[in-house]
Amino acid sequence: MSARLDERLERIYQEVTHRNPGESEFHQAVHEVLETLGPVVAKYPELAEHKVIQRVCEPERQIIFRVPWQDDRGEIHINRAFRVEFNSALGPYKGGMRFHPSVYLGIIKFLGFEQVFKNGLTGMPIGGGKGGSDFDPKGRSDDEIMRFCQSLMTELYRYLGEYTDVPAGDIGVGERELGFLFGQYKRITNRYESGVLTGKGLAWGGSCARKEATGYGTVYFLQEMLKARGDDLDGKTCVISGSGNVAIYAMSKAMQHGAKVIACSDSAGIIVDEQGLDLARIKRIKEIERRRISAYADEVSSARHIAGGNLWEIPCDVALPCATQNELDGKDAKRLIENGCIAVAEGANMPTTPEGVRLFQEAKIAYGPGKAANAGGVATSALEMQQNASRDSWTFEHTEQRLREIMIDIHRNCHETAEEFGMPGDYVSGANIAGFLKVSKAMMAMGVI
Ligand code: NDP
């Protein structure tokens, strides 16, 4: 791990690693937050006295269950699914479901832990949770996806509810999967409870701009960071990792604001086009045809596909990691800095390793951590819940405007908090401290819970 912790926080960290063996991503996420809380416990000793940090590090509830399902040939498969209900001090547990073969308890716990602070930062009434399964949706038919989702929800439904726990999408879970999950929830409970899931389709209770929200929000946060330095996105070259939901809409908003996006990726490789990528083509290939990103280079003569290529070696002004955790390490950060990168905003959760974060901060580039920069997705999920509760639906323009205001507010909060605690320009500390204070004040008010 990177920075040293003070003695009291080090003891808490040791306890967390001891109680949660083998969960390296969770340890990493906890360490990254504890690293920034030294000045907070010095200023508010009552937080230590009431063991708020220890309580925040322990999920309120962890559910692990079997998901049996049959493929199209009749073969039976058994997957494992998780829902970690981390903290409900600010509202019902809220956070996405991830379907990816790498999923295990440590990943869901790191995501749930981050979600607690992120949701606090949005200023919306939502607690933190996360879920997922080691199911691999790649290459599966729609029928197989449906049977898997139905089997998963047959167990998960008993823990959910619009006032209890409200899942959404994440890696491998988009509108198609949420449709199957919602259909099965409705069938089992005999309730049309729109607010139990977010990221729904527009025809059945979804919100305009939810699909776009995480990517758009990341770019709004980026713009605010640049503005604080008297700069903007116009004419900047940009590389974006991934080519899923977050990457596509980050690309879209960056292009709208004059950036030239020259590269993106998937888990098999990268595509590069110095003339600028064609967004409509990427959307067709990924969203409609569900093909690999290499198909883009087959269609466009100015583009090239590099199988297994490293996106962070492409010189750029701005880098947006929008794929997965720990996808950008110290070596990549060094290369980006050497190549003149001035800003990094994280659409993904914890995509930069501790060493990478340290290098970005030392180089004093504008670095927006995922907890703050990608909070637009969950914030717009909360707007979807608000519309569902009032049986209303807002226009795209209105919802996007709300999203923009929320992102500006999150940026301001992180910026001001970092200054208040003597670390100007440090968005990592600003986000962690502001999110932590919001949650811990609510926990203190509610007694020993
Ligand atoms: P998608 O499933 O839509 O897209 C994920 C993209 O990342 C794909 O291009 C995928 O490539 C790539 N990817 C995933 N895992 C790996 C891996 N292990 N190695 C290399 N590439 C990988 O997911 P989202 O766009 O929804 O999520 C992306 C990130 O954003 C995640 O970190 C998620 O937690 C975060 N996030 C998402 C939010 C949302 O609203 N969806 C909200 C906030 C954060 P391939 O297809 O080859 O697997």
Side-chain angles (χ1 to χ4, degrees):
M1 295 296 165
S2 51
R4 281 174 60 83
L5 302 175
D6 77 26
E7 205 183 308
R8 190 164 33 180
L9 292 168
E10 178 65 32
R11 267 202 309 275
I12 295 175
Y13 177 69
Q14 291 306 333
E15 200 180 307
V16 168
T17 55
H18 182 70
R19 285 168 66 81
N20 303 277
E23 297 175 1
S24 60
E25 295 84 358
F26 179 50
H27 303 167
Q28 183 183 337
V30 170
H31 197 277
E32 191 253 353
V33 169
L34 296 188
E35 247 169 52
T36 59
L37 293 187
V40 181
V41 285
K43 186 166 177 186
Y44 303 104
E46 65 274 24
L47 293 176
E49 218 174 285
H50 288 85
K51 302 214 169 162
V52 175
I53 301 176
Q54 289 94 323
R55 281 193 268 156
V56 159
C57 291
E58 180 72 18
E60 288 177 16
R61 191 174 298 111
Q62 306 182 54
I63 302 145
I64 305 181
F65 55 99
R66 176 175 72 193
V67 186
W69 59 283
Q70 264 178 311
D71 70 18
D72 289 342
R73 293 177 297 125
E75 190 182 333
I76 294 171
H77 299 262
I78 293 111
N79 284 98
R80 184 175 290 176
F82 307 85
R83 188 75 189 163
V84 175
E85 299 182 331
F86 225 107
N87 194 301
S88 60
L90 296 175
Y93 309 108
K94 182 87 201 83
M97 295 290 290
R98 173 177 293 192
F99 293 170
H100 193 273
S102 63
V103 164
Y104 76 107
L105 188 59
I107 288 200
I108 301 302
K109 271 159 82 173
F110 116 65
L111 290 163
F113 182 74
E114 292 256 297
Q115 197 83 47
V116 174
F117 306 102
K118 180 190 307 190
N119 294 4
L121 277 177
T122 66
M124 317 290 285
I126 42 179
K130 198 82 188 189
S133 171
D134 57 5
F135 172 69
D136 186 357
K138 272 200 199 88
R140 291 292 172 195
S141 69
D142 286 356
D143 283 349
E144 289 175 323
I145 302 276
M146 180 183 74
R147 285 195 291 274
F148 175 79
C149 289
Q150 288 179 340
S151 179
L152 182 139
M153 187 53 90
T154 302
E155 175 63 23
L156 185 64
Y157 87 95
R158 59 188 95 243
Y159 307 104
L160 306 183
E162 63 178 317
Y163 297 110
T164 312
D165 185 353
V166 183
D170 191 81
I171 290 177
V173 179
E175 191 180 319
R176 174 182 58 171
E177 292 73 20
L178 289 165
F180 296 143
L181 291 167
F182 184 72
Q184 185 73 350
Y185 182 85
K186 182 172 77 59
R187 190 174 169 207
I188 297 172
T189 59
N190 194 29
R191 282 163 63 86
Y192 203 104
E193 192 183 333
S194 300
V196 74
L197 285 180
T198 60
K200 300 182 292 295
L202 293 181
W204 44 282
S207 170
C208 287
R210 173 61 190 91
K211 183 173 68 174
E212 294 81 359
T214 310
Y216 278 20
T218 302
V219 174
Y220 288 141
F221 193 91
L222 168 69
Q223 283 177 307
E224 291 305 301
M225 290 198 298
L226 292 173
K227 201 158 107 194
R229 295 166 171 235
D231 203 348
D232 63 32
L233 251 184
D234 196 31
K236 301 280 189 298
T237 54
C238 184
V239 303
I240 302 182
S241 64
S243 48
N245 171 263
V246 179
I248 286 177
Y249 292 97
M251 192 180 294
S252 163
K253 188 51 77 181
M255 287 172 175
Q256 273 178 35
H257 287 273
K260 183 156 97 169
V261 181
I262 55 170
C264 71
S265 63
D266 62 16
S267 57
I270 66 176
I271 54 162
V272 189
D273 187 345
E274 265 87 20
Q275 293 178 20
L277 296 174
D278 171 359
L279 177 67
R281 193 182 296 275
I282 290 183
K283 284 172 88 166
R284 169 173 55 73
I285 291 171
K286 295 305 297 183
E287 291 187 335
I288 299 170
E289 298 166 357
R290 294 182 187 274
R291 291 156 73 203
R292 310 302 298 155
I293 200 63
S294 58
Y296 184 95
D298 299 337
E299 294 181 14
V300 179
S301 60
S302 55
R304 61 188 194 279
H305 176 250
I306 308 171
N310 183 350
L311 189 81
W312 314 121
E313 290 177 1
I314 314 274
C316 62
D317 300 315
V318 171
L320 303 179
C322 294
T324 193
Q325 66 276 351
N326 291 329
E327 56 167 314
L328 196 166
D329 63 16
K331 194 168 45 61
D332 300 325
K334 192 158 173 281
R335 181 67 75 93
L336 282 166
I337 295 161
E338 280 166 4
N339 283 339
C341 177
I342 58 161
V344 175
E346 296 180 340
N349 287 309
M350 207 170 73
T352 310
T353 64
E355 172 75 352
V357 175
R358 188 181 60 75
L359 290 169
F360 287 148
Q361 291 188 313
E362 280 173 11
K364 299 216 174 313
I365 72 162
Y367 168 66
K371 226 179 254 118
N374 72 35
V378 75
T380 308
S381 276
L383 299 178
E384 182 173 331
M385 291 162 75
Q386 206 173 319
Q387 292 168 75
N388 293 154
S390 58
R391 303 197 189 287
D392 198 359
S393 55
W394 307 339
T395 63
F396 192 95
E397 291 69 27
H398 177 72
T399 318
E400 192 191 350
Q401 181 56 27
R402 291 284 306 268
L403 164 65
R404 183 150 180 271
E405 288 161 6
I406 291 168
M407 294 313 296
I408 291 173
D409 210 46
I410 292 174
H411 174 272
R412 186 192 45 71
N413 192 0
C414 296
H415 199 262
E416 288 178 3
T417 305
E419 282 196 353
E420 184 192 332
F421 284 84
M423 293 164 282
D426 178 350
Y427 291 99
V428 176
S429 297
N432 287 344
I433 294 173
F436 174 75
L437 284 177
K438 175 99 189 184
V439 178
S440 58
K441 280 180 188 158
M443 288 175 70
M444 292 277 286
M446 292 176 197
V448 181
I449 55 162

